[in-house]
Amino acid sequence: MQKYSTYAEVPWYRKSSTNSLFILISIFFPPLIGLVCILLVTGKIYFNKLDVQGNLKTWSVANKVVAFVFLFVQLTFLAFRYLF
């Protein structure tokens, strides 16, 4: 797993601000929430803050749950829309 010493080293798609924006935009453009969930499954999302060991903080379980709840709600909505 890649370790970053500064926030500037983190790729744009692994930054918390980018993924938070994707979650908000996914209300109107649903595929973005899928991208966020794929990124969560394949690696970490980083904050621009340091933890007590001096490493960049990553998304907690709560952040991940929110992303997957958005995905579940959107998939449920799409299923009802197109199947019923």
Side-chain angles (χ1 to χ4, degrees):
M1 178 85 27
Q2 177 75 30
K3 285 259 184 177
Y4 301 104
S5 56
T6 66
Y7 195 65
E9 295 175 346
V10 178
W12 65 271
Y13 57 89
R14 292 274 175 205
K15 293 184 177 186
S16 177
S17 56
T18 302
N19 285 281
S20 295
L21 182 63
F22 283 174
I23 289 173
L24 288 174
I25 293 172
S26 74
I27 294 169
F28 305 105
F29 187 67
L32 283 179
I33 194 65
L35 174 63
V36 172
C37 290
I38 289 169
L39 290 170
L40 284 169
V41 169
T42 60
K44 296 180 179 182
I45 305 295
Y46 295 89
F47 287 110
N48 191 13
K49 295 180 182 177
L50 299 176
D51 62 14
V52 293
Q53 289 90 17
N55 298 317
L56 290 172
K57 286 187 176 184
T58 59
W59 274 18
S60 68
V61 172
N63 295 90
K64 295 173 185 179
V65 166
V66 168
F68 282 100
V69 166
F70 266 78
L71 177 65
F72 176 76
V73 168
Q74 287 185 355
L75 290 175
T76 302
F77 174 76
L78 289 172
F80 276 102
R81 182 174 181 183
Y82 293 110
L83 297 177
F84 300 108

